[in-house]
Amino acid sequence: MDLNKIDHIGIAVENLEEASVFYRNVLGLELIGTDEVPSQKVRVAMFKIGESKIELLEPTSPDSSIAKFLEKNGQGIHHIAYGVTDVDGAVIELIEKEVRMIDKEPRPGASGSKIAFVHPKASGRVLTELCEH
Ligand code: ZN
């Protein structure tokens, strides 16, 4: 598997605009863009930090996994995403290694990326995303 960087850290927030103030105005990070990801029922704001990004996630529906996360844990770090050159190959490799996956096939992520989540029970409760741009 060809992981090449921490692509981004995903942070669950109640309100994208309110949460963005800290990252934009206090930390001075550059907002790359906002996007809606229907497959995850979230709105996303991406901030650039070097080669990596901070991904703020706001639920668009009460049955979004981010809404459930907020209900259980409140706002905070939701997942870590590793950049990978071939997400399809990585998922096949993980399944061959009998790693439990949330996504047995990659799905569309923010900004035209392809993503797949490893099940937190397979990754020490750290929700882990693989992300190909
Ligand atoms: Zn992510």
Side-chain angles (χ1 to χ4, degrees):
M1 202 165 7
D2 188 14
L3 304 186
N4 47 45
K5 64 177 173 184
I6 304 285
D7 186 85
H8 63 270
I9 296 173
I11 298 174
V13 302
E14 304 277 359
N15 181 293
L16 214 54
E17 283 69 32
E18 280 175 23
S20 291
V21 170
F22 174 74
Y23 294 93
R24 193 181 50 225
N25 299 358
V26 179
L27 298 184
L29 299 184
E30 177 194 341
L31 177 66
I32 301 171
T34 55
D35 196 6
E36 188 163 337
V37 186
S39 68
Q40 291 184 79
K41 297 178 182 167
V42 289
R43 285 174 64 223
V44 173
M46 280 284 192
F47 291 88
K48 185 174 158 56
I49 169 72
E51 283 205 334
S52 301
K53 284 158 280 178
I54 297 291
E55 177 187 64
L56 303 184
L57 300 150
E58 178 201 278
T60 55
S61 158
D63 64 348
S64 156
S65 65
I66 296 298
K68 289 171 191 158
F69 177 91
L70 287 168
E71 209 169 281
K72 202 171 157 196
N73 306 292
Q75 302 191 104
I77 292 180
H78 178 259
H79 65 271
I80 294 182
Y82 297 93
V84 61
T85 46
D86 173 16
V87 72
D88 296 277
V91 168
I92 289 166
E93 195 180 323
L94 288 166
I95 289 170
E96 278 171 3
K97 287 177 180 167
E98 298 185 347
V99 173
R100 190 166 163 194
M101 300 293 294
I102 290 176
D103 299 306
K104 294 188 173 66
E105 285 178 10
R107 56 175 149 141
S111 321
S113 60
K114 268 168 84 178
I115 64 170
F117 281 96
V118 178
H119 197 284
K121 284 196 172 150
S123 52
R125 300 225 154 260
V126 178
L127 183 58
T128 300
E129 175 186 341
L130 304 174
C131 179
E132 176 188 333
H133 288 285

